[in-house]
Amino acid sequence: MRSGKYGFMLQARSITKSYGLLDALRGVDLSVDAGQIVALLGRNGAGKTTLISIIAGLLKADGGTVEVNGLDASGHPDEVARLLGVAPQETGVYRVLTVRENLEFFADLAGVPKKKRTTQAEEVAEQLGLSELLSRKGSELSGGETRRLHTACALVHRPRLLLLDEPTVGADVATRQQLIESVRGLAADGAAVVYTTHYLPEVEALEADIVIIHQGEILDRGTQAELIERHHRGGLWFTVEGELPSGVLSGLEVLHQRPDGDDREQFLVGGDIRMVELVERFGSQAAQLVSVERNLPDLDRVFMAVTGESADGDGVEPVEQAAR
Ligand code: ATP
């Protein structure tokens, strides 16, 4: 991983946060370099918003430190705030102000000098496809347009570190693509980006460094290719109806096992076994083999291998717990 003149643009160390008895963050380290996009990937409740809020200075951690561009955030809150662009999950734009007024207001708030505000507002509006809407009021925007304006307000002062918490929630395909393109463009211009999501196609489109966060802990980090290389075990998924014929699993490594409806069970077996070999193992009971598919190297399966759960779907019991 690269680090610049002052080290990483963001370096969070040993961050802890509890809400009552719940440990929302259990000693999280996160570093992001200039020009790097880090996707914080985790299910609902994993701790993404809590972490982003702490880095943004909106929430106090119980322990740990945050440095932005080499500055300790708790000792230099104003300087750090000027380096940050934050788009929280809930959209917050002024409905009575026009798009231009919103952008200029947020630019002013972030300390952009008056004579630069118009240019920067127009530039960010162009980037996010809002140029035609500059004189439209916040109250007259669609959900997707509001979402884009919300993100644009976080970008208008050209932050060095951008924190985006699920920026595409409720956005249509076109808005989603526009946001992703903008984020990639900003990173190419040198911004460090932290982007939270549990939507896997987005992580792929961002070509981000992926940080898997689960129950308040970071379990792994790497590019999609690195994570697949590290965790993909090959093998086959198959579904059996009724009782599994004896001998089918003999000599195979069972990676996952889960019920699939009332009378069905799904298995993932690792290794080089071919589909035809599996069918042969069922012999005369082949009709019980409802489906079989190759375990493809995709991000959801990597996420499942790391956390034991799907990023946006069913929980999967690791086989040690599921075995009877
Ligand atoms: P999502 O994808 O749903 O936004 P997340 O990964 O951002 O989830 P957080 O919002 O950080 O998760 O929540 C982490 C955990 O802390 C969850 O179990 C949540 O219920 C809990 N939590 C968050 N905020 C509070 C709060 N103000 N009071 C009590 N518990 C909270």
PDB file of all heavy atoms in Angstrom, residues 142-181:
ATOM      1  N   SER A 142     -36.215  15.327  -7.553  1.00  0.00           N
ATOM      2  CA  SER A 142     -36.600  13.922  -7.334  1.00  0.00           C
ATOM      3  C   SER A 142     -35.671  13.327  -6.274  1.00  0.00           C
ATOM      4  O   SER A 142     -34.665  13.953  -5.910  1.00  0.00           O
ATOM      5  CB  SER A 142     -36.453  13.133  -8.636  1.00  0.00           C
ATOM      6  OG  SER A 142     -35.073  12.911  -8.897  1.00  0.00           O
ATOM      7  N   GLY A 143     -35.989  12.103  -5.841  1.00  0.00           N
ATOM      8  CA  GLY A 143     -35.160  11.434  -4.831  1.00  0.00           C
ATOM      9  C   GLY A 143     -33.717  11.279  -5.295  1.00  0.00           C
ATOM     10  O   GLY A 143     -32.771  11.567  -4.555  1.00  0.00           O
ATOM     11  N   GLY A 144     -33.542  10.847  -6.547  1.00  0.00           N
ATOM     12  CA  GLY A 144     -32.192  10.633  -7.084  1.00  0.00           C
ATOM     13  C   GLY A 144     -31.428  11.945  -7.227  1.00  0.00           C
ATOM     14  O   GLY A 144     -30.225  12.012  -6.961  1.00  0.00           O
ATOM     15  N   GLU A 145     -32.156  12.995  -7.638  1.00  0.00           N
ATOM     16  CA  GLU A 145     -31.515  14.318  -7.784  1.00  0.00           C
ATOM     17  C   GLU A 145     -31.094  14.862  -6.418  1.00  0.00           C
ATOM     18  O   GLU A 145     -30.016  15.434  -6.260  1.00  0.00           O
ATOM     19  CB  GLU A 145     -32.471  15.292  -8.484  1.00  0.00           C
ATOM     20  CG  GLU A 145     -32.672  14.965  -9.954  1.00  0.00           C
ATOM     21  CD  GLU A 145     -33.931  15.588 -10.565  1.00  0.00           C
ATOM     22  OE1 GLU A 145     -34.764  16.175  -9.824  1.00  0.00           O
ATOM     23  OE2 GLU A 145     -34.098  15.447 -11.789  1.00  0.00           O
ATOM     24  N   THR A 146     -31.961  14.634  -5.418  1.00  0.00           N
ATOM     25  CA  THR A 146     -31.624  15.064  -4.054  1.00  0.00           C
ATOM     26  C   THR A 146     -30.379  14.335  -3.569  1.00  0.00           C
ATOM     27  O   THR A 146     -29.481  14.920  -2.971  1.00  0.00           O
ATOM     28  CB  THR A 146     -32.798  14.751  -3.084  1.00  0.00           C
ATOM     29  OG1 THR A 146     -33.976  15.323  -3.627  1.00  0.00           O
ATOM     30  CG2 THR A 146     -32.552  15.289  -1.694  1.00  0.00           C
ATOM     31  N   ARG A 147     -30.320  13.050  -3.857  1.00  0.00           N
ATOM     32  CA  ARG A 147     -29.177  12.228  -3.461  1.00  0.00           C
ATOM     33  C   ARG A 147     -27.900  12.778  -4.109  1.00  0.00           C
ATOM     34  O   ARG A 147     -26.857  12.896  -3.480  1.00  0.00           O
ATOM     35  CB  ARG A 147     -29.489  10.795  -3.898  1.00  0.00           C
ATOM     36  CG  ARG A 147     -28.498   9.723  -3.667  1.00  0.00           C
ATOM     37  CD  ARG A 147     -28.103   9.437  -2.255  1.00  0.00           C
ATOM     38  NE  ARG A 147     -29.126   8.973  -1.344  1.00  0.00           N
ATOM     39  CZ  ARG A 147     -28.920   8.814  -0.033  1.00  0.00           C
ATOM     40  NH1 ARG A 147     -27.741   9.082   0.511  1.00  0.00           N
ATOM     41  NH2 ARG A 147     -29.872   8.412   0.747  1.00  0.00           N
ATOM     42  N   ARG A 148     -27.995  13.156  -5.397  1.00  0.00           N
ATOM     43  CA  ARG A 148     -26.816  13.689  -6.091  1.00  0.00           C
ATOM     44  C   ARG A 148     -26.408  15.040  -5.509  1.00  0.00           C
ATOM     45  O   ARG A 148     -25.225  15.333  -5.347  1.00  0.00           O
ATOM     46  CB  ARG A 148     -27.107  13.846  -7.586  1.00  0.00           C
ATOM     47  CG  ARG A 148     -26.799  12.567  -8.337  1.00  0.00           C
ATOM     48  CD  ARG A 148     -26.969  12.765  -9.810  1.00  0.00           C
ATOM     49  NE  ARG A 148     -28.338  12.543 -10.223  1.00  0.00           N
ATOM     50  CZ  ARG A 148     -28.894  13.050 -11.300  1.00  0.00           C
ATOM     51  NH1 ARG A 148     -28.215  13.860 -12.076  1.00  0.00           N
ATOM     52  NH2 ARG A 148     -30.134  12.770 -11.607  1.00  0.00           N
ATOM     53  N   LEU A 149     -27.406  15.869  -5.190  1.00  0.00           N
ATOM     54  CA  LEU A 149     -27.091  17.178  -4.606  1.00  0.00           C
ATOM     55  C   LEU A 149     -26.438  16.994  -3.230  1.00  0.00           C
ATOM     56  O   LEU A 149     -25.472  17.675  -2.884  1.00  0.00           O
ATOM     57  CB  LEU A 149     -28.363  18.029  -4.491  1.00  0.00           C
ATOM     58  CG  LEU A 149     -28.196  19.372  -3.772  1.00  0.00           C
ATOM     59  CD1 LEU A 149     -27.114  20.237  -4.454  1.00  0.00           C
ATOM     60  CD2 LEU A 149     -29.523  20.139  -3.710  1.00  0.00           C
ATOM     61  N   HIS A 150     -26.971  16.069  -2.465  1.00  0.00           N
ATOM     62  CA  HIS A 150     -26.427  15.762  -1.137  1.00  0.00           C
ATOM     63  C   HIS A 150     -24.937  15.413  -1.256  1.00  0.00           C
ATOM     64  O   HIS A 150     -24.098  15.915  -0.512  1.00  0.00           O
ATOM     65  CB  HIS A 150     -27.241  14.590  -0.581  1.00  0.00           C
ATOM     66  CG  HIS A 150     -26.744  14.005   0.702  1.00  0.00           C
ATOM     67  ND1 HIS A 150     -26.786  14.682   1.894  1.00  0.00           N
ATOM     68  CD2 HIS A 150     -26.200  12.787   0.977  1.00  0.00           C
ATOM     69  CE1 HIS A 150     -26.300  13.902   2.854  1.00  0.00           C
ATOM     70  NE2 HIS A 150     -25.931  12.759   2.322  1.00  0.00           N
ATOM     71  N   THR A 151     -24.607  14.551  -2.226  1.00  0.00           N
ATOM     72  CA  THR A 151     -23.198  14.179  -2.430  1.00  0.00           C
ATOM     73  C   THR A 151     -22.408  15.389  -2.929  1.00  0.00           C
ATOM     74  O   THR A 151     -21.277  15.632  -2.484  1.00  0.00           O
ATOM     75  CB  THR A 151     -23.087  12.999  -3.426  1.00  0.00           C
ATOM     76  OG1 THR A 151     -23.929  11.951  -2.967  1.00  0.00           O
ATOM     77  CG2 THR A 151     -21.669  12.487  -3.540  1.00  0.00           C
ATOM     78  N   ALA A 152     -23.003  16.146  -3.849  1.00  0.00           N
ATOM     79  CA  ALA A 152     -22.309  17.317  -4.406  1.00  0.00           C
ATOM     80  C   ALA A 152     -21.942  18.309  -3.295  1.00  0.00           C
ATOM     81  O   ALA A 152     -20.866  18.919  -3.318  1.00  0.00           O
ATOM     82  CB  ALA A 152     -23.187  18.002  -5.457  1.00  0.00           C
ATOM     83  N   CYS A 153     -22.828  18.465  -2.309  1.00  0.00           N
ATOM     84  CA  CYS A 153     -22.563  19.393  -1.195  1.00  0.00           C
ATOM     85  C   CYS A 153     -21.343  18.940  -0.384  1.00  0.00           C
ATOM     86  O   CYS A 153     -20.645  19.763   0.198  1.00  0.00           O
ATOM     87  CB  CYS A 153     -23.784  19.509  -0.278  1.00  0.00           C
ATOM     88  SG  CYS A 153     -25.160  20.369  -1.058  1.00  0.00           S
ATOM     89  N   ALA A 154     -21.112  17.621  -0.362  1.00  0.00           N
ATOM     90  CA  ALA A 154     -19.943  17.100   0.375  1.00  0.00           C
ATOM     91  C   ALA A 154     -18.661  17.299  -0.422  1.00  0.00           C
ATOM     92  O   ALA A 154     -17.568  17.215   0.126  1.00  0.00           O
ATOM     93  CB  ALA A 154     -20.147  15.618   0.679  1.00  0.00           C
ATOM     94  N   LEU A 155     -18.808  17.542  -1.722  1.00  0.00           N
ATOM     95  CA  LEU A 155     -17.636  17.616  -2.605  1.00  0.00           C
ATOM     96  C   LEU A 155     -17.237  19.028  -2.973  1.00  0.00           C
ATOM     97  O   LEU A 155     -16.146  19.252  -3.485  1.00  0.00           O
ATOM     98  CB  LEU A 155     -17.932  16.901  -3.938  1.00  0.00           C
ATOM     99  CG  LEU A 155     -18.348  15.459  -3.904  1.00  0.00           C
ATOM    100  CD1 LEU A 155     -18.597  14.960  -5.317  1.00  0.00           C
ATOM    101  CD2 LEU A 155     -17.241  14.656  -3.280  1.00  0.00           C
ATOM    102  N   VAL A 156     -18.146  19.976  -2.729  1.00  0.00           N
ATOM    103  CA  VAL A 156     -18.008  21.297  -3.347  1.00  0.00           C
ATOM    104  C   VAL A 156     -16.732  22.040  -2.911  1.00  0.00           C
ATOM    105  O   VAL A 156     -16.193  22.845  -3.660  1.00  0.00           O
ATOM    106  CB  VAL A 156     -19.291  22.142  -3.106  1.00  0.00           C
ATOM    107  CG1 VAL A 156     -19.464  22.485  -1.647  1.00  0.00           C
ATOM    108  CG2 VAL A 156     -19.308  23.375  -3.970  1.00  0.00           C
ATOM    109  N   HIS A 157     -16.224  21.720  -1.735  1.00  0.00           N
ATOM    110  CA  HIS A 157     -15.004  22.405  -1.287  1.00  0.00           C
ATOM    111  C   HIS A 157     -13.746  21.607  -1.621  1.00  0.00           C
ATOM    112  O   HIS A 157     -12.671  21.913  -1.125  1.00  0.00           O
ATOM    113  CB  HIS A 157     -15.084  22.686   0.223  1.00  0.00           C
ATOM    114  CG  HIS A 157     -15.197  21.444   1.064  1.00  0.00           C
ATOM    115  ND1 HIS A 157     -16.301  20.635   1.040  1.00  0.00           N
ATOM    116  CD2 HIS A 157     -14.350  20.855   1.941  1.00  0.00           C
ATOM    117  CE1 HIS A 157     -16.124  19.618   1.868  1.00  0.00           C
ATOM    118  NE2 HIS A 157     -14.933  19.727   2.423  1.00  0.00           N
ATOM    119  N   ARG A 158     -13.900  20.617  -2.499  1.00  0.00           N
ATOM    120  CA  ARG A 158     -12.770  19.781  -2.957  1.00  0.00           C
ATOM    121  C   ARG A 158     -12.007  19.146  -1.790  1.00  0.00           C
ATOM    122  O   ARG A 158     -10.825  19.444  -1.570  1.00  0.00           O
ATOM    123  CB  ARG A 158     -11.817  20.604  -3.813  1.00  0.00           C
ATOM    124  CG  ARG A 158     -12.504  21.170  -5.029  1.00  0.00           C
ATOM    125  CD  ARG A 158     -11.551  21.976  -5.848  1.00  0.00           C
ATOM    126  NE  ARG A 158     -12.227  22.541  -6.989  1.00  0.00           N
ATOM    127  CZ  ARG A 158     -11.793  23.589  -7.659  1.00  0.00           C
ATOM    128  NH1 ARG A 158     -10.667  24.187  -7.309  1.00  0.00           N
ATOM    129  NH2 ARG A 158     -12.465  24.037  -8.689  1.00  0.00           N
ATOM    130  N   PRO A 159     -12.700  18.299  -1.034  1.00  0.00           N
ATOM    131  CA  PRO A 159     -12.068  17.682   0.146  1.00  0.00           C
ATOM    132  C   PRO A 159     -10.945  16.722  -0.244  1.00  0.00           C
ATOM    133  O   PRO A 159     -10.967  16.140  -1.330  1.00  0.00           O
ATOM    134  CB  PRO A 159     -13.214  16.919   0.801  1.00  0.00           C
ATOM    135  CG  PRO A 159     -14.167  16.647  -0.305  1.00  0.00           C
ATOM    136  CD  PRO A 159     -14.067  17.807  -1.242  1.00  0.00           C
ATOM    137  N   ARG A 160     -10.017  16.564   0.672  1.00  0.00           N
ATOM    138  CA  ARG A 160      -8.918  15.609   0.437  1.00  0.00           C
ATOM    139  C   ARG A 160      -9.312  14.213   0.893  1.00  0.00           C
ATOM    140  O   ARG A 160      -8.738  13.231   0.462  1.00  0.00           O
ATOM    141  CB  ARG A 160      -7.679  16.067   1.220  1.00  0.00           C
ATOM    142  CG  ARG A 160      -7.241  17.506   0.952  1.00  0.00           C
ATOM    143  CD  ARG A 160      -6.324  17.593  -0.237  1.00  0.00           C
ATOM    144  NE  ARG A 160      -5.143  16.771  -0.090  1.00  0.00           N
ATOM    145  CZ  ARG A 160      -4.044  17.129   0.596  1.00  0.00           C
ATOM    146  NH1 ARG A 160      -3.997  18.319   1.168  1.00  0.00           N
ATOM    147  NH2 ARG A 160      -3.013  16.322   0.691  1.00  0.00           N
ATOM    148  N   LEU A 161     -10.267  14.177   1.829  1.00  0.00           N
ATOM    149  CA  LEU A 161     -10.773  12.887   2.320  1.00  0.00           C
ATOM    150  C   LEU A 161     -12.293  12.914   2.263  1.00  0.00           C
ATOM    151  O   LEU A 161     -12.928  13.765   2.883  1.00  0.00           O
ATOM    152  CB  LEU A 161     -10.313  12.654   3.766  1.00  0.00           C
ATOM    153  CG  LEU A 161     -10.902  11.434   4.473  1.00  0.00           C
ATOM    154  CD1 LEU A 161     -10.536  10.138   3.767  1.00  0.00           C
ATOM    155  CD2 LEU A 161     -10.431  11.377   5.931  1.00  0.00           C
ATOM    156  N   LEU A 162     -12.844  11.982   1.509  1.00  0.00           N
ATOM    157  CA  LEU A 162     -14.281  11.967   1.279  1.00  0.00           C
ATOM    158  C   LEU A 162     -14.895  10.753   1.974  1.00  0.00           C
ATOM    159  O   LEU A 162     -14.422   9.622   1.784  1.00  0.00           O
ATOM    160  CB  LEU A 162     -14.485  11.877  -0.238  1.00  0.00           C
ATOM    161  CG  LEU A 162     -15.868  12.022  -0.793  1.00  0.00           C
ATOM    162  CD1 LEU A 162     -16.486  13.340  -0.362  1.00  0.00           C
ATOM    163  CD2 LEU A 162     -15.784  11.977  -2.317  1.00  0.00           C
ATOM    164  N   LEU A 163     -15.923  11.000   2.782  1.00  0.00           N
ATOM    165  CA  LEU A 163     -16.579   9.911   3.517  1.00  0.00           C
ATOM    166  C   LEU A 163     -18.015   9.800   3.017  1.00  0.00           C
ATOM    167  O   LEU A 163     -18.824  10.704   3.239  1.00  0.00           O
ATOM    168  CB  LEU A 163     -16.579  10.210   5.022  1.00  0.00           C
ATOM    169  CG  LEU A 163     -15.217  10.531   5.651  1.00  0.00           C
ATOM    170  CD1 LEU A 163     -15.383  10.984   7.102  1.00  0.00           C
ATOM    171  CD2 LEU A 163     -14.287   9.325   5.576  1.00  0.00           C
ATOM    172  N   LEU A 164     -18.317   8.723   2.333  1.00  0.00           N
ATOM    173  CA  LEU A 164     -19.645   8.561   1.738  1.00  0.00           C
ATOM    174  C   LEU A 164     -20.328   7.347   2.348  1.00  0.00           C
ATOM    175  O   LEU A 164     -19.858   6.217   2.197  1.00  0.00           O
ATOM    176  CB  LEU A 164     -19.522   8.363   0.221  1.00  0.00           C
ATOM    177  CG  LEU A 164     -18.811   9.482  -0.551  1.00  0.00           C
ATOM    178  CD1 LEU A 164     -18.620   9.084  -2.011  1.00  0.00           C
ATOM    179  CD2 LEU A 164     -19.605  10.766  -0.460  1.00  0.00           C
ATOM    180  N   ASP A 165     -21.435   7.593   3.039  1.00  0.00           N
ATOM    181  CA  ASP A 165     -22.135   6.503   3.719  1.00  0.00           C
ATOM    182  C   ASP A 165     -23.333   6.068   2.873  1.00  0.00           C
ATOM    183  O   ASP A 165     -24.355   6.753   2.835  1.00  0.00           O
ATOM    184  CB  ASP A 165     -22.589   6.976   5.112  1.00  0.00           C
ATOM    185  CG  ASP A 165     -22.943   5.807   6.019  1.00  0.00           C
ATOM    186  OD1 ASP A 165     -22.858   4.649   5.565  1.00  0.00           O
ATOM    187  OD2 ASP A 165     -23.294   6.052   7.183  1.00  0.00           O
ATOM    188  N   GLU A 166     -23.180   4.950   2.214  1.00  0.00           N
ATOM    189  CA  GLU A 166     -24.216   4.407   1.323  1.00  0.00           C
ATOM    190  C   GLU A 166     -24.800   5.489   0.425  1.00  0.00           C
ATOM    191  O   GLU A 166     -26.002   5.785   0.493  1.00  0.00           O
ATOM    192  CB  GLU A 166     -25.297   3.700   2.133  1.00  0.00           C
ATOM    193  CG  GLU A 166     -24.711   2.538   2.915  1.00  0.00           C
ATOM    194  CD  GLU A 166     -25.753   1.624   3.529  1.00  0.00           C
ATOM    195  OE1 GLU A 166     -26.829   1.487   2.957  1.00  0.00           O
ATOM    196  OE2 GLU A 166     -25.459   1.057   4.584  1.00  0.00           O
ATOM    197  N   PRO A 167     -23.962   6.083  -0.434  1.00  0.00           N
ATOM    198  CA  PRO A 167     -24.408   7.242  -1.216  1.00  0.00           C
ATOM    199  C   PRO A 167     -25.432   6.906  -2.290  1.00  0.00           C
ATOM    200  O   PRO A 167     -26.073   7.821  -2.807  1.00  0.00           O
ATOM    201  CB  PRO A 167     -23.120   7.754  -1.855  1.00  0.00           C
ATOM    202  CG  PRO A 167     -22.208   6.594  -1.889  1.00  0.00           C
ATOM    203  CD  PRO A 167     -22.557   5.754  -0.702  1.00  0.00           C
ATOM    204  N   THR A 168     -25.622   5.636  -2.615  1.00  0.00           N
ATOM    205  CA  THR A 168     -26.538   5.332  -3.715  1.00  0.00           C
ATOM    206  C   THR A 168     -27.872   4.753  -3.253  1.00  0.00           C
ATOM    207  O   THR A 168     -28.668   4.320  -4.077  1.00  0.00           O
ATOM    208  CB  THR A 168     -25.892   4.338  -4.699  1.00  0.00           C
ATOM    209  OG1 THR A 168     -25.505   3.192  -3.951  1.00  0.00           O
ATOM    210  CG2 THR A 168     -24.682   4.940  -5.377  1.00  0.00           C
ATOM    211  N   VAL A 169     -28.114   4.770  -1.933  1.00  0.00           N
ATOM    212  CA  VAL A 169     -29.404   4.248  -1.450  1.00  0.00           C
ATOM    213  C   VAL A 169     -30.542   5.020  -2.125  1.00  0.00           C
ATOM    214  O   VAL A 169     -30.545   6.245  -2.145  1.00  0.00           O
ATOM    215  CB  VAL A 169     -29.510   4.399   0.080  1.00  0.00           C
ATOM    216  CG1 VAL A 169     -30.927   4.168   0.566  1.00  0.00           C
ATOM    217  CG2 VAL A 169     -28.571   3.433   0.766  1.00  0.00           C
ATOM    218  N   GLY A 170     -31.464   4.300  -2.706  1.00  0.00           N
ATOM    219  CA  GLY A 170     -32.630   4.935  -3.329  1.00  0.00           C
ATOM    220  C   GLY A 170     -32.346   5.547  -4.689  1.00  0.00           C
ATOM    221  O   GLY A 170     -33.235   6.150  -5.293  1.00  0.00           O
ATOM    222  N   ALA A 171     -31.115   5.409  -5.181  1.00  0.00           N
ATOM    223  CA  ALA A 171     -30.792   6.014  -6.479  1.00  0.00           C
ATOM    224  C   ALA A 171     -31.104   5.026  -7.605  1.00  0.00           C
ATOM    225  O   ALA A 171     -30.980   3.814  -7.426  1.00  0.00           O
ATOM    226  CB  ALA A 171     -29.314   6.386  -6.512  1.00  0.00           C
ATOM    227  N   ASP A 172     -31.516   5.564  -8.765  1.00  0.00           N
ATOM    228  CA  ASP A 172     -31.751   4.662  -9.896  1.00  0.00           C
ATOM    229  C   ASP A 172     -30.415   4.302 -10.554  1.00  0.00           C
ATOM    230  O   ASP A 172     -29.363   4.797 -10.146  1.00  0.00           O
ATOM    231  CB  ASP A 172     -32.736   5.274 -10.899  1.00  0.00           C
ATOM    232  CG  ASP A 172     -32.195   6.548 -11.523  1.00  0.00           C
ATOM    233  OD1 ASP A 172     -30.981   6.815 -11.399  1.00  0.00           O
ATOM    234  OD2 ASP A 172     -32.984   7.282 -12.137  1.00  0.00           O
ATOM    235  N   VAL A 173     -30.483   3.448 -11.567  1.00  0.00           N
ATOM    236  CA  VAL A 173     -29.251   2.930 -12.173  1.00  0.00           C
ATOM    237  C   VAL A 173     -28.371   4.071 -12.711  1.00  0.00           C
ATOM    238  O   VAL A 173     -27.156   4.088 -12.498  1.00  0.00           O
ATOM    239  CB  VAL A 173     -29.598   1.931 -13.304  1.00  0.00           C
ATOM    240  CG1 VAL A 173     -28.339   1.474 -14.029  1.00  0.00           C
ATOM    241  CG2 VAL A 173     -30.322   0.736 -12.714  1.00  0.00           C
ATOM    242  N   ALA A 174     -29.009   5.047 -13.382  1.00  0.00           N
ATOM    243  CA  ALA A 174     -28.224   6.134 -13.990  1.00  0.00           C
ATOM    244  C   ALA A 174     -27.530   6.972 -12.915  1.00  0.00           C
ATOM    245  O   ALA A 174     -26.340   7.293 -13.023  1.00  0.00           O
ATOM    246  CB  ALA A 174     -29.134   7.019 -14.831  1.00  0.00           C
ATOM    247  N   THR A 175     -28.264   7.292 -11.850  1.00  0.00           N
ATOM    248  CA  THR A 175     -27.690   8.097 -10.758  1.00  0.00           C
ATOM    249  C   THR A 175     -26.553   7.333 -10.087  1.00  0.00           C
ATOM    250  O   THR A 175     -25.493   7.873  -9.787  1.00  0.00           O
ATOM    251  CB  THR A 175     -28.774   8.425  -9.706  1.00  0.00           C
ATOM    252  OG1 THR A 175     -29.806   9.135 -10.370  1.00  0.00           O
ATOM    253  CG2 THR A 175     -28.233   9.258  -8.566  1.00  0.00           C
ATOM    254  N   ARG A 176     -26.808   6.056  -9.882  1.00  0.00           N
ATOM    255  CA  ARG A 176     -25.805   5.180  -9.276  1.00  0.00           C
ATOM    256  C   ARG A 176     -24.504   5.215 -10.087  1.00  0.00           C
ATOM    257  O   ARG A 176     -23.422   5.402  -9.549  1.00  0.00           O
ATOM    258  CB  ARG A 176     -26.391   3.759  -9.318  1.00  0.00           C
ATOM    259  CG  ARG A 176     -25.825   2.768  -8.373  1.00  0.00           C
ATOM    260  CD  ARG A 176     -26.611   1.473  -8.537  1.00  0.00           C
ATOM    261  NE  ARG A 176     -27.813   1.450  -7.727  1.00  0.00           N
ATOM    262  CZ  ARG A 176     -27.850   0.974  -6.485  1.00  0.00           C
ATOM    263  NH1 ARG A 176     -26.765   0.487  -5.940  1.00  0.00           N
ATOM    264  NH2 ARG A 176     -28.962   0.973  -5.795  1.00  0.00           N
ATOM    265  N   GLN A 177     -24.659   5.073 -11.416  1.00  0.00           N
ATOM    266  CA  GLN A 177     -23.460   5.064 -12.263  1.00  0.00           C
ATOM    267  C   GLN A 177     -22.749   6.407 -12.228  1.00  0.00           C
ATOM    268  O   GLN A 177     -21.528   6.484 -12.188  1.00  0.00           O
ATOM    269  CB  GLN A 177     -23.843   4.726 -13.704  1.00  0.00           C
ATOM    270  CG  GLN A 177     -23.933   3.222 -13.898  1.00  0.00           C
ATOM    271  CD  GLN A 177     -24.542   2.823 -15.223  1.00  0.00           C
ATOM    272  OE1 GLN A 177     -24.975   3.684 -15.990  1.00  0.00           O
ATOM    273  NE2 GLN A 177     -24.587   1.538 -15.475  1.00  0.00           N
ATOM    274  N   GLN A 178     -23.565   7.480 -12.248  1.00  0.00           N
ATOM    275  CA  GLN A 178     -22.994   8.824 -12.216  1.00  0.00           C
ATOM    276  C   GLN A 178     -22.193   9.043 -10.922  1.00  0.00           C
ATOM    277  O   GLN A 178     -21.092   9.577 -10.947  1.00  0.00           O
ATOM    278  CB  GLN A 178     -24.137   9.826 -12.260  1.00  0.00           C
ATOM    279  CG  GLN A 178     -23.776  11.125 -12.905  1.00  0.00           C
ATOM    280  CD  GLN A 178     -25.020  11.763 -13.492  1.00  0.00           C
ATOM    281  OE1 GLN A 178     -26.143  11.415 -13.120  1.00  0.00           O
ATOM    282  NE2 GLN A 178     -24.843  12.683 -14.406  1.00  0.00           N
ATOM    283  N   LEU A 179     -22.774   8.603  -9.816  1.00  0.00           N
ATOM    284  CA  LEU A 179     -22.081   8.751  -8.528  1.00  0.00           C
ATOM    285  C   LEU A 179     -20.781   7.950  -8.510  1.00  0.00           C
ATOM    286  O   LEU A 179     -19.744   8.446  -8.073  1.00  0.00           O
ATOM    287  CB  LEU A 179     -22.990   8.297  -7.384  1.00  0.00           C
ATOM    288  CG  LEU A 179     -24.053   9.310  -6.963  1.00  0.00           C
ATOM    289  CD1 LEU A 179     -25.112   8.665  -6.088  1.00  0.00           C
ATOM    290  CD2 LEU A 179     -23.426  10.474  -6.214  1.00  0.00           C
ATOM    291  N   ILE A 180     -20.853   6.757  -9.027  1.00  0.00           N
ATOM    292  CA  ILE A 180     -19.649   5.911  -9.032  1.00  0.00           C
ATOM    293  C   ILE A 180     -18.565   6.528  -9.913  1.00  0.00           C
ATOM    294  O   ILE A 180     -17.398   6.588  -9.537  1.00  0.00           O
ATOM    295  CB  ILE A 180     -20.011   4.475  -9.464  1.00  0.00           C
ATOM    296  CG1 ILE A 180     -20.722   3.793  -8.293  1.00  0.00           C
ATOM    297  CG2 ILE A 180     -18.777   3.675  -9.861  1.00  0.00           C
ATOM    298  CD1 ILE A 180     -21.318   2.473  -8.598  1.00  0.00           C
ATOM    299  N   GLU A 181     -18.972   7.012 -11.087  1.00  0.00           N
ATOM    300  CA  GLU A 181     -18.000   7.667 -11.979  1.00  0.00           C
ATOM    301  C   GLU A 181     -17.377   8.878 -11.296  1.00  0.00           C
ATOM    302  O   GLU A 181     -16.172   9.114 -11.390  1.00  0.00           O
ATOM    303  CB  GLU A 181     -18.681   8.101 -13.292  1.00  0.00           C
ATOM    304  CG  GLU A 181     -18.825   6.988 -14.292  1.00  0.00           C
ATOM    305  CD  GLU A 181     -17.548   6.156 -14.457  1.00  0.00           C
ATOM    306  OE1 GLU A 181     -16.502   6.761 -14.755  1.00  0.00           O
ATOM    307  OE2 GLU A 181     -17.585   4.932 -14.245  1.00  0.00           O
TER     308      GLU A 181
END
